[in-house]
Amino acid sequence: MLLCRPKMKECCTFRRASPTVFRLYGTIPKCSIRFPSSIPRNTREVFVGTTQHLASTGPQTTAQFLIATVRTLISLTETKMRKVIHELLPAESDLEGLGHEMHALVAELYPICRSITGNGVRETLGRLQRFIPLTVHEVPSGTRVFDWTVPLEWNIRDAYIKNSRGERVIDFQKSNLHVVSYSTPLHKKMRLEELRSHLFSLPDNPDWVPYRTSYYKRDWGFCLTHKQLLDLSEDEYEVCIESSLESGHLTYGEFYVRGESSEEILISAHVCHPSLANDNLSGIAVACFLAKRISQLRRKYSYRFLFAPGTIGAITWLSINESTAHQIKHGLVLAGVGDAGSLTYKKSRRGNTDIDRAATLAICETESKSQTLDFTPYGYDERQYCSPGFNLAVGRLSRTPHGTFPEYHTSADNVSFVRPDSLGESLSVCLHVVSILEQNRTYLNTNPKCEPQLGERNLYQSLGGGSDNKATELAMLWVLNLSDGKQSLLEIAERSHLRFEVIVRAANALKEHGLLEEVSAQSLPRSTERQFAN
Ligand SMILES: [Zn+2]
């Protein structure tokens, strides 16, 4: 299945946000945008994946000849970067193994008690250093970061509720979710009546332990299953929380990978949740493996991978790096990318940036269902990157959106809730997004007055013939028609409903024949003035 199937409501909001660029979607739902209806379905399949498999029945059609010709040209003229990008995308068989490796990392990190500060974050980052050379930053408590202040550092060694027989009826050693994160230290005996207001459970899911925090209000509490709560009898309980809340540091990890350009792609994941697998660990694992893969290849962009506690970590990073944050040209927050649900891309605040286009194209080009959501000022750290003072082109990749699945922020978001195949697909989509951004170019048609003779250049044998050649013809015609020095290949792919890979191939072939010249991103031409990158 090549078609993405977002909800109609989201299709409509997508169109509203970018009326000019997306106007061709105006009369058809986004779920059918991949190709115009005049192109038969078997034509689409020619372009799946690496497009190695042409239809093999019968004599070679004109379309097949055209495709073969374009492929030959490309194989002769591929740029170095294109080869690099090709290497970026893992084979299906590799993805399966990577999915299991990421799942193993999730399982390894799962028991660690993380919070927005403390040793749990340090231990997590330390384990990631086995995969990538993260730089660990420590920001002192009390540091002013915009309207916020880096809080005291919280650590915990043990916590329990013992009944009068000395039995641990609630035990932090069994699950770190049992203690409200940032609970103040406590050792006191109390009756159930006094204890009850500090206990949190989920009556609708009586076997699950909820996840609660109290970062900015000094308090303490325990989370337990509703069954455990109902089992508590009138008794005197010994309540102990061996925690510390002291001046220390906020810790975050950063991995910068230099590219040919100083322009950056930011990948950000939060590292502040304790034993929660999808919310937290899935994003960490995918970001880590993405970083490892990208760092091994040549690239146009520089990449910055940020592993920081949610909200306060992103705010801290932006505060420290305010003067250079403008170098971030595209960004993705990764959160909740390991569950079995379909892919979701949440657009940046600006809503019509290249990352919005690339991510939407990438999830639509997977074989799974997907949806694109408009920006809202609620969610993960895209809230900070997209705050009006920065307004960075940063969107968010998730699977099932947070808060919309019952396991969210409960003990049921465990290692088995996260699936290797989902992690693998999420990694693949991230690489696809990156490959689109890396290959995106803006060209100027050097023969803009009427169509050039493609046949004379062996790009084009015939404009007539069967319907199978429509996609190839269309790719070249779209690229020639829209390459006005302003519209990028990404915009052309979007508007033509053709796969980005097909558009790139057509553009490479046309460029090879002198029909396109690349335009510098910094100096898009005015009507009569051409300025080229090379
Ligand atoms: Zn969360």
Side-chain angles (χ1 to χ4, degrees), residues 70-94:
V70 171
R71 279 203 192 114
T72 304
L73 288 167
I74 292 165
S75 68
L76 293 172
T77 62
E78 262 182 345
T79 63
K80 193 184 294 180
M81 183 56 68
R82 171 134 181 81
K83 289 178 184 170
V84 170
I85 294 304
H86 185 71
E87 292 166 16
L88 191 71
L89 299 171
E92 279 292 317
S93 54
D94 292 341

Side-chain angles (χ1 to χ4, degrees), residues 211 270 272-273 276 279-280 380 402 408-409:
Y211 165 55
H270 62 293
C272 52
H273 289 33
L276 294 169
D279 184 6
N280 191 171
Y380 290 93
H402 64 95
Y408 174 69
H409 277 189

Side-chain angles (χ1 to χ4, degrees), residues 14-48:
F14 197 83
R15 289 198 301 273
R16 273 203 305 274
S18 311
T20 303
V21 173
F22 297 102
R23 69 186 164 85
L24 287 188
Y25 302 175
T27 56
I28 52 174
K30 184 167 158 255
C31 56
S32 60
I33 66 168
R34 300 309 327 138
F35 288 84
S37 58
S38 60
I39 298 175
R41 189 181 174 85
N42 63 349
T43 307
R44 304 174 192 180
E45 290 166 356
V46 169
F47 298 102
V48 173

